[in-house]
Amino acid sequence: MKIRRQQLKHKAKELLRSFGDACSACYPTEKPHRSKPQTTMDATQTKSRARSLVKTALNIGHKFLVLLVRWLSRTIYGEHGKRMPPITNLILMESASSLATKIRTRKLTSVEVTQAFIDRCKEVNPQLNCVVDERFEAALKEAAQADKLIESGTLTVEQLEREKPFLGVPISTKDCIRVQGLLHTSGIWYRRNIRGEKDARAMELMRRAGAIPFALTNVSECCMWWESVNTIHGRTRNPYDANRIVGGSSGGEGCIQAAAASPFGLGSDIGGSIRMPAFFNGIFGHKPSKFIVSNDGQYPVALSEEQQSFLGIGPMCRYATDLKPMLRIIADENAAKLRLDEPVDLKQIKFFYQPNDGGAHLVSPVDLDIRDAMEKVMAHFRATVKAEVKKVTLDKLRQSAPIWFANMKTPAKVGFDAQLRNLEGRISPLVELLKWPFGQSNHTLVGIMTAVTERGGVQYDTEDYHYNVRQRNLLRDQITELLGDNGVFIYPTHPTVAPYHNEPLIRALNFSYTAIINVLGLPATAIPLGLGREGLPIGLQVVAGVNQDRLCLAVACELERAFGGWVAPEVHA
């Protein structure tokens, strides 16, 4: 009871802080303006004050709505949901790199390893719904072939390590990265029967390195929402609490790995789709620097060169040590630009951090657990690593959401209504909205609402569009100058732990913490830091300069060593 009273007292303090954040979020527009006559200035000031009052009212109303929906969610779902089943096979606890070593040195067979992860998928999927397609039989045959190659002695252990570093290790990926023979729907109803004719380039490279694709994981509709649910495969549930979300769009991928049902996998990220699921599921996820990893075979495709720079396929895994070898493989000829083998001395790294976005409009305040974790991380780098640590305030981060939305616009002007029709015509959003309450629509509510509202947002090549592009460029220049070639920026991956299912509908803009990094083209790694008070994963993201990915990976390895990284399920073996 004492603990419960303390929790209630903390929530009350959070509510008061939220009201303060709401009021401080109401800042005037930063658009430059020319000198005006006094009467015009008075009118402008009056309009500005009116906008501030409206914004304040919206923020306060939003805080109450968030509290109301949280109360309803707890009433409907209960405070805690089911956790993933315990592990009974210790093979599942190994990193992908460790498994590869044991397979090529004959301490384990690829068939043993692949069968262990297949069995785990079958065990957890009825509860979590993370796997939407599989090639288990084909994977076992390929595993047997890998074992025969090793037994033949055709290649030495050293040659296998160099030429096929992940020989015999099963790999999963999300249902928007093409795998030959498997579904390739991207959660879009009109793609429900489409299958991959060949592997995406990144998966092709992983196969060449010896990895064996065996499972395909769930995504959000059109991969453009941060809860993984669609009308083809349904909803994926968090392995630490089935009442909570897994994030999106790589939510099924984050889930399968957190549940120890896959040793590693590939995700993609245009607004946080690797890092948010990695955060919510307590694993590692890396969004590479722009233009490093080929997006060939990813759907939806980028509609412009600018969007191509925002989108990145990257590694997702339970252990930080797997990030670098995976990135080296999928970067292919671009790996040389990253200098991944160049040693990183953390004592020579400059650490900058910002605990929140400064109070953005309609964005949740950062949870106490996450703020505490950030302070502990920075204390670790000060005291243990003896590195230079500095708190900064990047004001433009308050504009993260509008900057991302505007910069995502393209000359093609392809709407979400067309994306939901697989670019073969358009859906009628208003008709779908009328059908949805009766269960007659083939689309999710958030997909329909996105199609309804996007036409009212900033449009390509307008004054507002160019303003937000300038703001993006100014922020990019500011961060680039700040970081140089030996600095990293520590920032929340998300302001809250995994919310209940459907809660993202009223916390929609919380994704802005990750999205802003995409439009800057910078590399970023989501790093797990254990579980918070609610028994859910917490963590941070570390950002570096373009092509300085190795700094992010070095920080990830250090924080895994210091704070433990992925929290495994119970082990009964």
Side-chain angles (χ1 to χ4, degrees):
M1 289 298 293
K2 183 177 180 182
I3 294 174
R4 183 62 178 162
R5 285 196 298 272
Q6 289 175 341
Q7 289 176 338
L8 290 172
K9 185 177 179 182
H10 166 65
K11 289 295 181 184
K13 289 181 178 178
E14 284 292 294
L15 177 58
L16 290 173
R17 186 182 292 111
S18 298
F19 287 152
D21 288 347
C23 294
S24 64
C26 303
Y27 52 92
T29 177
E30 297 179 24
K31 292 186 183 180
H33 57 273
R34 299 174 181 173
S35 299
K36 298 178 181 179
Q38 185 64 41
T39 53
T40 306
M41 289 176 65
D42 290 343
T44 301
Q45 290 172 356
T46 300
K47 288 181 180 178
S48 179
R49 283 194 294 269
R51 283 196 299 269
S52 291
L53 287 172
V54 169
K55 193 172 284 188
T56 300
L58 284 173
N59 271 292
I60 293 174
H62 181 250
K63 303 300 179 186
F64 276 117
L65 180 61
V66 166
L67 290 172
L68 175 62
V69 171
R70 172 50 60 96
W71 176 79
L72 286 171
S73 297
R74 282 184 173 166
T75 301
I76 294 168
Y77 291 111
E79 191 161 354
H80 297 291
K82 287 184 178 180
R83 288 175 61 90
M84 59 186 139
I87 284 176
T88 57
N89 187 335
L90 291 179
I91 287 176
L92 304 176
M93 294 293 292
E94 301 275 354
S95 69
S97 298
S98 173
L99 289 170
T101 299
K102 290 184 177 182
I103 288 170
R104 63 175 167 262
T105 57
R106 304 192 198 185
K107 293 177 182 175
L108 288 171
T109 67
S110 176
V111 169
E112 281 181 283
V113 171
T114 304
Q115 188 64 62
F117 283 99
I118 289 172
D119 291 344
R120 181 64 172 173
C121 282
K122 292 178 178 179
E123 180 183 24
V124 303
N125 208 50
Q127 177 182 322
L128 303 179
N129 190 38
C130 50
V131 178
V132 298
D133 201 6
E134 45 82 7
R135 54 187 305 277
F136 293 161
E137 280 191 35
L140 286 170
K141 289 179 181 178
E142 290 168 18
Q145 292 171 0
D147 290 334
K148 286 182 180 178
L149 174 63
I150 294 166
E151 290 169 9
S152 72
T154 304
L155 298 174
T156 66
V157 171
E158 291 74 20
Q159 286 175 312
L160 289 172
E161 183 177 9
R162 185 172 59 254
E163 297 175 23
K164 292 185 178 294
F166 285 113
L167 180 63
V169 181
I171 186 172
S172 52
T173 192
K174 64 191 288 192
D175 179 18
C176 76
I177 296 175
R178 197 171 55 219
V179 178
Q180 185 177 17
L182 295 187
L183 289 171
H184 191 217
T185 75
S186 302
I188 300 171
W189 178 261
Y190 287 95
R191 292 179 61 86
R192 66 192 180 280
N193 297 317
I194 291 178
R195 291 186 173 271
E197 295 181 359
K198 65 175 184 176
D199 290 337
R201 177 60 177 164
M203 183 56 76
E204 178 188 343
L205 292 167
M206 290 303 298
R207 273 207 210 236
R208 191 181 298 173
I212 301 173
F214 81 117
L216 194 73
T217 53
N218 204 19
V219 296
S220 53
E221 185 175 27
C222 203
C223 297
M224 288 297 286
W225 184 238
W226 54 280
E227 177 169 12
S228 289
V229 57
N230 58 71
T231 57
I232 306 171
H233 306 300
R235 187 187 309 277
T236 303
R237 294 173 282 277
N238 194 293
Y240 295 92
D241 184 337
N243 294 338
R244 306 296 186 113
I245 73 167
V246 293
S249 60
S250 309
E253 193 56 39
C255 177
I256 193 176
Q257 291 180 43
S262 174
F264 62 166
L266 295 176
S268 58
D269 190 319
I270 199 169
S273 290
I274 287 175
R275 288 161 291 148
M276 282 188 290
F279 169 77
F280 291 137
N281 293 282
I283 66 165
F284 293 87
H286 181 71
K287 184 202 82 68
S289 293
K290 61 183 180 180
F291 301 130
I292 287 295
V293 178
S294 170
N295 291 321
D296 175 65
Q298 142 83 32
Y299 192 91
V301 298
L303 298 173
S304 67
E305 186 77 357
E306 188 88 325
Q307 271 194 9
Q308 193 79 256
S309 74
F310 306 159
L311 176 63
I313 291 176
M316 299 178 71
C317 48
R318 296 171 295 163
Y319 297 98
T321 50
D322 290 331
L323 290 170
K324 186 189 291 185
M326 287 184 73
L327 181 58
R328 179 185 288 110
I329 292 165
I330 61 177
D332 200 18
E333 69 272 7
N334 289 326
K337 298 177 182 178
L338 304 182
R339 309 194 312 278
L340 292 173
D341 292 324
E342 188 174 301
V344 176
D345 183 357
L346 291 176
K347 292 181 181 179
Q348 302 302 315
I349 300 298
K350 295 179 181 178
F351 290 86
F352 303 94
Y353 74 103
Q354 184 165 326
N356 56 57
D357 62 7
H361 186 49
L362 301 181
V363 175
S364 299
V366 176
D367 281 355
L368 177 62
D369 281 345
I370 298 170
R371 297 200 305 270
D372 285 349
M374 177 172 283
E375 290 301 330
K376 289 176 183 177
V377 165
M378 304 327 295
H380 171 76
F381 285 121
R382 285 192 193 98
T384 306
V385 179
K386 307 294 184 185
E388 179 182 340
V389 175
K390 183 179 180 181
K391 185 177 181 180
V392 296
T393 301
L394 302 174
D395 289 332
K396 292 192 189 313
L397 289 175
R398 285 193 298 176
Q399 302 177 58
S400 293
I403 288 174
W404 184 85
F405 280 116
N407 280 270
M408 282 289 290
K409 299 297 183 181
T410 70
K413 298 183 180 180
V414 175
F416 203 67
D417 53 358
Q419 294 279 16
L420 293 181
R421 201 71 167 72
N422 195 32
L423 303 182
E424 297 172 353
R426 301 175 186 273
I427 68 162
S428 174
L430 293 178
V431 170
E432 296 298 329
L433 188 59
L434 291 173
K435 290 162 57 178
W436 185 84
F438 304 100
Q440 299 303 305
S441 177
N442 294 323
H443 306 286
T444 60
L445 178 60
V446 70
I448 297 168
M449 291 306 299
T450 301
V452 168
T453 59
E454 72 168 348
R455 300 294 179 183
V458 174
Q459 300 302 309
Y460 180 77
D461 204 25
T462 61
E463 181 182 349
D464 284 341
Y465 167 81
H466 289 294
Y467 167 73
N468 280 290
V469 170
R470 288 194 299 272
Q471 297 309 298
R472 186 274 310 268
N473 293 343
L474 289 170
L475 178 59
R476 183 177 58 198
D477 292 346
Q478 185 181 11
I479 291 183
T480 299
E481 183 179 356
L482 180 74
L483 299 181
D485 59 4
N486 69 331
V488 294
F489 177 56
I490 309 290
Y491 193 52
T493 317
H494 200 80
T496 74
V497 295
Y500 286 91
H501 297 299
N502 296 312
E503 274 194 302
L505 289 167
I506 51 96
R507 302 183 184 213
L509 299 185
N510 284 2
F511 84 105
S512 58
Y513 273 84
T514 48
I516 190 63
I517 308 303
N518 292 81
V519 296
L520 299 176
L522 304 175
T525 305
I527 302 172
L529 296 170
L531 305 182
R533 290 172 175 82
E534 297 181 68
L536 295 165
I538 57 172
L540 299 166
Q541 62 178 325
V542 57
V543 182
V546 172
N547 294 345
Q548 305 295 332
D549 300 52
R550 72 189 187 287
L551 303 185
C552 297
L553 307 187
V555 172
C557 289
E558 173 61 21
L559 292 182
E560 180 182 43
R561 184 194 66 77
F563 294 91
W566 169 65
V567 178
E570 292 182 52
V571 177
H572 295 173

